[in-house]
Amino acid sequence: MNPINHVAIIMDGNGRWGLKNKKSRNAGHKAGLKTVEKIIKASMKKKIKFLTLFAFSTENWKRPKKEVVYLFNLLEDFLKNQLESLHKRNIKLKFIGSRNFSKNLNKLLNLAEKKTLNNENLQINLALNYGSKIELLEAFKGMQKTKAKVNERNFIKHLQTKNIPDPDLLIRTGNTNRLSNFLLWQLAYSEIFFEKKLWPDFNKNDYYKILDKFKSIKRNFGNI
Ligand code: FPP
């Protein structure tokens, strides 16, 4: 049985769900947030230590302004309303991605990280304005500035995910089979599960089924 320490998720399908069920993409994002809350609860129940969620990519800025503004308002409200509850549940929050948002949002992200820094239950890594290629380029630049030998062990110290173990599994909902510039280095040996359901329809039983499947996979890491 494989232990599950870290689950990463590409929460895809909000827009399609919203258009199909409520005639607006943004309604899909609102429904997607409910799934986020369910999956946080389910992860805690399963004693998972790290949950990394792809909430906004460096490419998502290309979307209509109305949708981008809606997503950031949703995030801001979520943090303002839920920070206390997340903290009480001993959850640690970390944000990965380039942090060049409004002064207020930057302040809120810093506050959330600082407040929950010593929490030990579940660590949620929220990928916001995140792109793996930029992360890798920045890590190469960081590496160049040091005299340290170029090797894996030294290189990973320059990634935004330093101190976070690599994901054991990646789940992507929304019936799309690609990585979309997410954790390209870190997913090198992760098991990947592509799920047909759209993110707002994904529920804890779907999640548990994937976790069970993962547990029984023989992981070779290049060995036989
Ligand atoms: C991808 O679906 C989803 C996003 C770009 C945003 C993810 C956001 C949430 C789940 C809600 C907010 C979360 C937090 C933590 C505040 P898509 O819109 O690309 O779906 P589509 O492929 O159907 O267009």
Side-chain angles (χ1 to χ4, degrees), residues 7 10 13 17 27 39 43 61 116 128 131 143 207-208:
V7 179
I10 301 179
W17 187 95
I39 296 306
S43 301
W61 295 108
T116 62
L128 270 185
M143 183 90 243
Y207 188 45
Y208 291 158

Side-chain angles (χ1 to χ4, degrees), residues 38-200:
K38 283 182 208 156
I39 296 306
I40 292 175
K41 253 190 214 156
S43 301
M44 290 181 72
K45 210 162 170 195
K46 294 289 175 188
K47 303 205 169 3
I48 287 163
K49 294 312 276 181
F50 297 89
L51 176 66
T52 301
L53 302 173
F54 204 3
F56 196 87
S57 75
T58 44
E59 289 76 27
N60 287 151
W61 295 108
K62 294 178 201 154
R63 295 186 177 205
K65 191 165 175 223
K66 197 176 138 209
E67 183 168 338
V68 172
V69 169
Y70 186 87
L71 274 169
F72 278 96
N73 285 339
L74 202 61
L75 169 75
E76 226 174 296
D77 288 349
F78 170 71
L79 289 175
K80 283 183 185 154
N81 298 331
Q82 295 299 321
L83 184 56
E84 207 48 56
S85 152
L86 293 166
H87 182 50
K88 277 202 186 118
R89 289 185 276 162
N90 206 9
I91 291 173
K92 178 173 173 174
L93 284 175
K94 182 173 168 59
F95 302 96
I96 58 170
S98 308
R99 207 170 301 187
N100 48 4
F101 307 111
S102 68
K103 220 172 163 183
N104 277 347
L105 183 57
N106 284 340
K107 219 165 128 187
L108 187 57
L109 301 183
N110 291 338
L111 172 89
E113 281 186 338
K114 208 167 153 197
K115 189 177 173 81
T116 62
L117 184 67
N118 297 316
N119 290 348
E120 297 178 321
N121 218 332
L122 168 71
Q123 174 168 334
I124 300 173
N125 308 305
L126 208 54
L128 270 185
N129 192 18
Y130 174 85
S132 191
K133 287 187 177 179
I134 290 182
E135 179 192 26
L136 288 168
L137 286 174
E138 290 302 320
F140 289 130
K141 285 188 212 160
M143 183 90 243
Q144 270 178 339
K145 284 189 197 142
T146 71
K147 292 208 167 68
K149 200 171 163 202
V150 181
N151 59 25
E152 250 184 66
R153 202 168 59 94
N154 288 330
F155 180 71
I156 58 176
K157 291 180 193 157
H158 297 275
L159 292 172
Q160 295 194 7
T161 52
K162 64 171 184 243
N163 305 324
I164 301 173
D166 288 344
D168 297 297
L169 66 151
L170 168 77
I171 301 170
R172 181 180 187 138
T173 58
N175 200 18
T176 305
N177 304 354
R178 55 175 171 256
L179 292 180
S180 299
N181 199 14
F182 188 48
L183 302 174
L184 300 178
W185 173 283
Q186 298 86 341
L187 292 173
Y189 269 103
S190 309
E191 303 296 330
I192 301 182
F193 294 83
F194 292 112
E195 160 70 44
K196 285 203 167 54
K197 278 193 182 179
L198 305 175
W199 178 247

